[in-house]
Each structure stands twice: as structure tokens, then as C-alpha cells.
Amino acid sequence: MAALGAVLLLAACQTAKVPGEGGGASASAATYLAQIRTSNGLGRMVADPRLEKAALQQATYMARAGLMNHTTGMGRDFASRMKANEVQGAAAENIAHGRMDMGKLFTIWMNSPGHRRNMLDPRFGRYGLAYVRDGSGSDVKYWALVLGR
């Protein structure tokens, strides 16, 4: 558990069998994000298809590469991916991987200062969440949450 926590903490600094299998995860995340935000005095967030597309691209890249990283192997950093997806203004990204359901995922992110800060940033009102399995037939998922204005 300590190793997983260390990996997830590093992810805050900011080979898929079925690409897009975790697309649409944003709808399932609405309840978790609403609870997190409202219990901290913030408004609810709205799922955004552009942010979900950006999250799915990142989750797919990480699953294919077998690593967590905010920069893809083609040198596309977070800012360039946001620009390519026409996401303007402030944005942030949380990533994770492992055998976990969405409830555990959000619990882990809330217990990580960097991830928590991203989800509680009052500038953000939209989000997109996606995951892609690692492709080895296991339950390991690569998750990406993109937050924006």
C-alpha cells in the first residue's frame, strides 16, 4: 500500500486491449465528485466531453506504454494535449493505476495532497474521467481525470 501511495503521489506532480473501454466513466464519477466538492463548500462539477476525450487519450497512452506519466512518448505534455482538445484556461490532471474501483480511486486521490488540491480547486467546474485496462487480461486500470473551467 505504501508503494502504491508513493506512485500515486508522484502522479500528482503532474497495452490497451479495448481502447476507450473506460470512456463514459465521467457519468459514474458525478456522485463521487459532488460529494467531495460539496462537503468542502464547493459547487458541483459538470462532465465535459472534451475533458473526457483528453482523459481517455491519456489513459490509453499510459495503458499502452505500461507507465504513468503526464507526458506521452511523443513528447506531448499536458498543456499541448489540452490545446489539441480545445481546452482553454486553467486545467489539471490526476492519474493513477491499479486494481481499484472508482470509490477507492477517489479515496486515494483525496488522501494525496496534490490530487486533493486539484479536485478542490475552485476554478474548476468541469471534468472528464476515463480508464483503460493494461491489456494483460488483468484488472489493472490506468485512470485519468482532467479538470477544467
Side-chain angles (χ1 to χ4, degrees):
M1 188 57 140
L4 175 62
V7 170
L8 289 174
L9 183 60
L10 289 174
C13 33
Q14 301 288 309
T15 340
K17 280 188 172 182
V18 185
E21 70 177 298
S26 294
S28 300
T31 302
Y32 294 100
L33 283 168
Q35 181 180 3
I36 288 166
R37 302 268 298 182
T38 58
S39 67
N40 285 280
L42 297 167
R44 292 175 179 252
M45 299 180 91
V46 177
D48 181 286
R50 285 180 299 171
L51 297 177
E52 186 172 308
K53 180 181 174 186
L56 183 57
Q57 289 168 346
Q58 185 61 16
T60 300
Y61 164 74
M62 292 187 304
R64 287 183 178 159
L67 60 91
M68 284 194 343
N69 196 336
H70 292 282
T71 302
T72 67
M74 296 167 13
R76 288 186 82 181
D77 62 9
F78 179 70
S80 66
R81 286 188 288 110
M82 293 305 98
K83 184 176 180 179
N85 283 289
E86 300 177 1
V87 174
Q88 298 179 0
E93 179 175 67
N94 287 358
I95 59 175
H97 87 287
R99 288 180 180 88
M100 65 191 88
D101 62 20
M102 201 173 293
K104 185 171 182 174
L105 172 71
F106 280 100
T107 297
I108 290 169
W109 278 342
M110 283 302 288
N111 288 311
S112 163
H115 294 106
R116 179 184 179 92
R117 183 173 44 253
N118 286 344
M119 292 187 296
L120 296 179
D121 190 319
R123 296 175 298 169
F124 303 142
R126 298 178 303 122
Y127 73 93
L129 176 69
Y131 70 85
V132 174
R133 294 182 196 276
D134 75 352
S136 69
S138 75
D139 291 333
V140 174
K141 296 175 184 172
Y142 285 82
W143 296 87
L145 171 67
V146 178
L147 305 155
R149 289 188 166 176

